[in-house]
Amino acid sequence: EVQLVESGGGLVQPGGSLRLSCAASKFTFSSYWMGWVRQAPGKGLEWVAIINQDGSDRYYVDSLKGRFTISRDNAENSLYLQVNSLRAGDTAVYYCSRAGIPGSIDSWGQGTLVTVSS
Amino acid sequence: DVVMTQSPLSLPVTLGQPASISCRSSQSLVNSDGNTYLNWFQQRPGQSPRRLIYKVSNRDSGVPDRFSGSGSGTDFTLKISRVEAEDVGVYHCMQGTHWPWTFGQGTKVEIK
């Protein structure tokens, strides 16, 4: 069974930075597009970014471009999200996800909570 | 961005009765490859989302056959033929045809 385990969340002050990580296992990580989806408390789901198999293509939600950077290390079976200049509105659970087929997510991690507050 | 509009946002249902959730997109979800990338996810309380349906009507492995998806173009529906207690949660539609992929607001299904 596919495993995606996020880490790196926590409490950070406005303007701060975090690096979220996702450790993938039990599938061939380098064969899949991977992405990050977030969910603010009590709210719906929002795509953040997606990256192709070798990291050469990356797409971001326009509103987050410039502050968030998605990357991957296929040798380490890991996905990352660098989040900078954090604002209160970035408070959310961040889910690592696998795009198993075009236009879809077939696996989700358990999520890591990022709280932006002074 | 493509706006996904779900209705209703809250759906109280009697056990054993059917339930239906609508999802409408602000533009056609038919991709240039001919596929329609419309997905449905279930999120039980305190859990991560889980995919139920992909490409409008394809049920994932292990998903009970009481769940079905239908629709085309801009208008889609998730149906539960007979609601069970384990179906309580929030249901999200998501389009994967146009980047950024976008979700509906979510529909909360609860037992009356």
Side-chain angles (χ1 to χ4, degrees):
Chain A
E1 183 185 338
V2 171
Q3 286 194 357
L4 301 170
V5 180
E6 301 93 334
S7 60
L11 175 64
V12 61
Q13 292 191 338
S17 298
L18 280 176
R19 190 193 197 204
L20 309 182
S21 300
C22 171
S25 60
K26 300 191 177 179
F27 69 100
T28 305
F29 180 71
S30 58
S31 297
Y32 291 86
W33 284 72
M34 298 293 296
W36 291 95
V37 177
R38 70 181 184 178
Q39 186 172 35
K43 301 294 185 184
L45 298 164
E46 179 187 27
W47 264 102
V48 172
I50 195 167
I51 188 169
N52 72 339
Q53 291 89 336
D54 65 6
S56 59
D57 274 339
R58 310 173 197 208
Y59 298 92
Y60 299 90
V61 172
D62 278 350
S63 59
L64 303 177
K65 216 179 286 186
R67 294 195 300 122
F68 287 24
T69 303
I70 189 172
S71 62
R72 65 191 297 162
D73 183 337
N74 287 342
E76 295 292 327
N77 291 331
S78 292
L79 179 72
Y80 304 102
L81 185 69
Q82 178 69 39
V83 294
N84 299 328
S85 304
L86 283 161
R87 309 163 181 167
D90 296 318
T91 293
V93 174
Y94 286 73
Y95 293 103
C96 171
S97 60
R98 186 181 85 165
I101 60 170
S104 189
I105 307 168
D106 66 358
S107 300
W108 300 69
Q110 86 288 349
T112 187
L113 176 63
V114 173
T115 303
V116 183
S117 175
S118 54
Chain B
D1 297 359
V2 176
V3 177
M4 305 296 288
T5 303
Q6 287 182 232
S7 63
L9 298 184
S10 178
L11 184 56
V13 188
T14 301
L15 286 172
Q17 293 301 302
S20 180
I21 301 170
S22 169
C23 178
R24 290 195 165 98
S25 58
S26 60
Q27 56 185 278
S28 174
L29 299 186
V30 180
N31 195 38
S32 55
D33 65 5
N35 289 305
T36 300
Y37 295 113
L38 187 283
N39 305 269
W40 289 97
F41 297 91
Q42 175 195 60
Q43 189 173 24
R44 289 174 172 148
Q47 295 187 12
S48 303
R50 161 203 181 199
R51 192 177 67 186
L52 300 175
I53 302 282
Y54 61 95
K55 287 200 288 185
V56 180
S57 59
N58 294 273
R59 207 166 33 244
D60 270 276
S61 173
V63 174
D65 61 8
R66 64 179 181 275
F67 290 94
S68 64
S70 62
S72 63
T74 61
D75 200 349
F76 305 92
T77 302
L78 176 71
K79 291 183 179 174
I80 310 173
S81 58
R82 294 172 308 279
V83 171
E84 297 189 6
E86 66 178 18
D87 300 336
V88 164
V90 179
Y91 291 78
H92 309 269
C93 63
M94 185 202 89
Q95 67 83 19
T97 297
H98 307 282
W99 182 259
W101 298 353
T102 46
F103 293 90
Q105 315 97 302
T107 294
K108 186 174 185 177
V109 172
E110 58 185 12
I111 305 301
K112 278 185 189 174

